Amino acid sequence: MSDTYEVGKMPHIIIETCHGDLVVKGWSSTAVLVKGDATVKEADEGLVIHSNGRLRLSVPENSRFTVTHVHGDAVIRSVQGDVNIAQAAGDVILTAVANIQLGDVQADLSVKNVSGLLTVHNVSGDAIFRQVGSIHLNDVFGDLSARGVTGDVTANTVMGDLSLRSVTGDVTIHSGMRDANFRLLGGQTAVGKIQGDIRIHGSLAVGKHAFTAHGDIIARWPAQTPLTLTAVAPQISNRLPLDEVSESEGMLIGSIGEDGPVVTLTANGRIVLKDLATVSEEWDSFHEDDSDFDFAVDLEGLGAQISAQVNQQMLRLTAELESKFGTNFAQTMAEKIARKAEKAAERADHDEREERDV
C-alpha cells in the first residue's frame, strides 16, 4: 500500500503507533509518501499516522517528527527538523537530523552527523555517537561510545564500557560500572565513580579535571605538556618528569611547567603515570579503532556486501582478539558483532527490495 500526501516544506508528522519497523528518509518533494498498512489523518497539528506493521516514509527534508511508540526498529535519516521519539522497542538509528529528544530506547542507539542537542532518557543497549553536538544521557545499560562531539557530554550512569574521543565541550559522568577510556578532551572533566579502570590518553584542556576509579587509573601524558597533578591511590607508579614532587603514603603531588590543567586522580587500585611518547598503544589503538564499531551504516544496497565480507572479517578479528585478550573475550565480541552484521544485512536486503518495488 502506497499513498502520497501534499504537506508543504516544513510539516509536522505525528506517528502515534508503529507496530513494526519505522524507516524515514528525507527527500526534496513537499509531499509525504507513505508505504505500509497505515491509517493517515490530516489534522490541524500535523499529519497523524497509525501503522499496523512496518512503515516506510519519504518526507520533506525540513519535516519534524513526534513518535509515540515504535514496536520495532526506528531508522530516520536526512531530516532537518527536530525528532522526538517517546519509546522504541528496537534499535534507533538516526543520521543527519536536527535536535533529538528520545525517551526509552529498548535496544541499541546509533546517532551520526547531528549538529544539535541530543537528549536521551534511557538506552537498554549500546549507545554510539559520531560527529554530533551536545549529548545529555540519563542511563545507558550497555556500552557508551562517542567520537567527534562539538558540545558537552553528560551521563548519569553507564553500565557498560565508556569510550569518549574528540569531545570539544565539558564531560560529566556520574558513574560507570565497567572501564572508561578518554582521549582528546577539550573541556573540563568530572568523572565520578568508575567501577573498573580508567585510561587517559594524551593531554587535557586548561581547567579542572577529576577522575575517580574503583580499579586502576592509567594516564599517558605528553612529558613536555604543562600539568598540575594530584594522585591518590594505595599504589602509585610515576614515570613522568614531574617537578616539585611531594609524596606521602597514598598520595603524590607534582607538576610539569606552568599554567597547565589541574588534574586530580583517585583510585582504589593503582595509578600509573606514563610518558605518552614511550608507551605502546596496542590496547588503545585496538579499542578505539577496531572494536569500537559503528553499526549505524547506510543500509540501502549493502546487504550483499555485508554478507560477503562478514565471515572474512570475523575470522581476522577473532584471531586478533584471542591473541590480545583471550578466548572468552574474543568469543563474546565475535558473537555480538555477528548479531549486528546479520541484522544489518537482513534490513539492507529488505530495504533494497522495497526500493525496487517503488
Side-chain angles (χ1 to χ4, degrees), residues 198 200 204 209-213 217-219 229-233 236 250 252 263-267 271-273:
I198 292 178
I200 304 165
L204 298 168
H209 306 268
F211 300 85
T212 304
I217 297 179
I218 300 173
L229 174 71
T230 300
V232 180
I236 300 173
L252 180 148
V263 180
T264 301
L265 308 178
T266 306
I271 292 179
V272 179
L273 308 172

Side-chain angles (χ1 to χ4, degrees), residues 7-62:
V7 292
K9 294 182 178 180
M10 302 177 63
H12 182 201
I13 299 172
I14 303 165
I15 300 174
E16 293 182 335
T17 305
C18 177
H19 285 281
D21 293 341
L22 171 65
V23 179
V24 178
K25 183 177 182 180
W27 65 353
S28 58
S29 173
T30 58
V32 173
L33 175 63
V34 179
K35 297 174 64 176
D37 181 11
T39 301
V40 181
K41 181 176 65 175
E42 297 182 79
D44 292 340
E45 63 270 26
L47 195 68
V48 181
I49 302 174
H50 173 88
S51 175
N52 295 317
R54 193 172 193 266
L55 178 64
R56 185 179 181 89
L57 303 176
S58 296
V59 303
E61 294 173 343
N62 290 318

Side-chain angles (χ1 to χ4, degrees), residues 303-314:
Q305 297 178 39
I306 295 170
S307 298
Q309 295 178 11
V310 67
N311 288 335
Q312 178 181 353
Q313 295 298 325
M314 285 297 300

